[in-house]
Amino acid sequence: MSARAAAVVLVAASGCAQVLGLDSTHLDFKDAMTDAPNVCDGAPMCTSTTGRSVCGQLVQVGANAGVPLRVAMPTGAVCSATEGPCAFTVFGQAEASFFAGTTSDRVTGTIDDCGRFVAPDLDATQTDVVVGFSAASYNDVAALVLGRPMTPGSDTIAVYAVDAATAMAWATQASASMPPDTTTGLLVTHADTTGAPVATDKDRADGADLGAPPAVPWAGYFTGAAPFGALDPTATSTGPSGTSLDVPQSGSFMLSSARTGKTCTPMPMLQTVDGVLIELTLGC
């Protein structure tokens, strides 16, 4: 992975900190409610032969938050050029290997010009895996899928493609006078048991509320209804999108959230990676 950024999606954990279950995930990315059917509707073909595959859709952030990442005139075909999502290379591997910096177990994936990706036949005995993405002018993106069933099959997720310009804009939005580093930390989605975004959540690390940017550790919260649009430096909890950017201290930590009258059970132990944004979906 490069020192730009990455996103990690956690799924199917247990307890109060449960993240969104893969079985209930539905991808139906259309440009608008009035769209006619087109080649990019729906999730990619996601099949497995010898293992368990992870498939999904790349989605934009910042000014185009919530919009699928596609080429200008998509055909639905596997990429053969370098425009938009076709600039990305894709791989899958075990989560432990990813955090250890090991690359020997990586499996090469594919992506089409609609931004739909497939990481095929990852080891079905590995409950926790990573799907990683790299592209010029974009941050490295990695989706960490936790708690997979240990059976052949497939899982479907959405991954947020954080371009370098948006990461820089978030730094200025977090603090115009002292822009912090926004390439290392966590992108967090707060969701209820149905997958709907949750407002008024505060992020915590090792049981303590994260403060405001730019002093580490800090949490910034996004405005608007689309996920990971613009940071609001005055917000102290999640807004309608239920999303936030956390920059905890380096090293291992327990991530959780809290709202009035409720404190959620922490996620399993996590860690930061220099230059990487790790995307978590916290449910409570």
Side-chain angles (χ1 to χ4, degrees):
M1 303 294 287
S2 75
R4 289 198 182 101
V8 177
V9 179
L10 301 183
V11 279
S14 60
C16 188
Q18 180 177 336
V19 280
L20 301 183
L22 289 170
D23 291 341
S24 62
T25 302
H26 176 69
L27 293 179
D28 188 15
F29 291 102
K30 298 184 179 181
D31 291 325
M33 294 298 292
T34 57
D35 265 4
N38 66 70
V39 295
C40 290
D41 288 347
M45 294 296 294
C46 195
T47 59
S48 298
T49 56
T50 61
R52 189 172 183 89
S53 301
V54 178
C55 308
Q57 172 75 52
L58 282 178
V59 182
Q60 299 181 72
V61 297
N64 295 311
V67 178
L69 181 62
R70 302 171 177 169
V71 301
M73 298 181 66
T75 66
V78 173
C79 289
S80 59
T82 58
E83 177 190 351
C86 294
F88 285 89
T89 57
V90 185
F91 70 85
Q93 70 177 132
E95 177 261 353
S97 299
F98 171 73
F99 282 114
T102 302
T103 61
S104 58
D105 63 342
R106 289 186 175 180
V107 176
T108 301
T110 60
I111 191 165
D112 69 15
D113 59 14
C114 294
R116 300 175 299 189
F117 60 85
V118 179
D121 288 322
L122 303 184
D123 188 348
T125 68
Q126 295 288 333
T127 59
D128 304 331
V129 298
V130 163
V131 183
F133 304 76
S134 294
S137 76
Y138 278 84
N139 301 316
D140 285 349
V141 178
L144 175 61
V145 185
L146 299 183
R148 302 191 311 161
M150 295 176 64
T151 58
S154 61
D155 304 309
T156 305
I157 61 174
V159 174
Y160 295 95
V162 183
D163 59 282
T166 295
M168 292 177 63
W170 287 344
T172 303
Q173 292 161 6
S175 175
S177 60
M178 298 181 61
D181 177 14
T182 53
T183 67
T184 297
L186 310 172
L187 287 176
V188 183
T189 298
H190 299 258
D192 63 19
T193 56
T194 71
V198 175
T200 72
D201 267 11
K202 294 177 177 289
D203 292 332
R204 317 184 86 194
D206 293 330
D209 289 349
L210 296 175
V216 177
W218 61 267
Y221 300 95
F222 290 92
T223 63
F228 307 113
L231 283 173
D232 179 357
T234 67
T236 58
S237 62
T238 55
S241 72
T243 55
S244 58
L245 168 58
D246 296 349
V247 181
Q249 297 284 1
S250 61
S252 299
F253 56 90
M254 301 286 284
L255 181 72
S256 64
S257 60
R259 67 190 73 128
T260 302
K262 189 175 185 64
T263 299
C264 301
T265 301
M267 292 294 300
M269 190 66 72
L270 301 172
Q271 65 186 74
T272 58
V273 178
D274 287 344
V276 173
L277 290 174
I278 297 174
E279 183 185 334
L280 310 171
T281 302
L282 288 176
C284 182

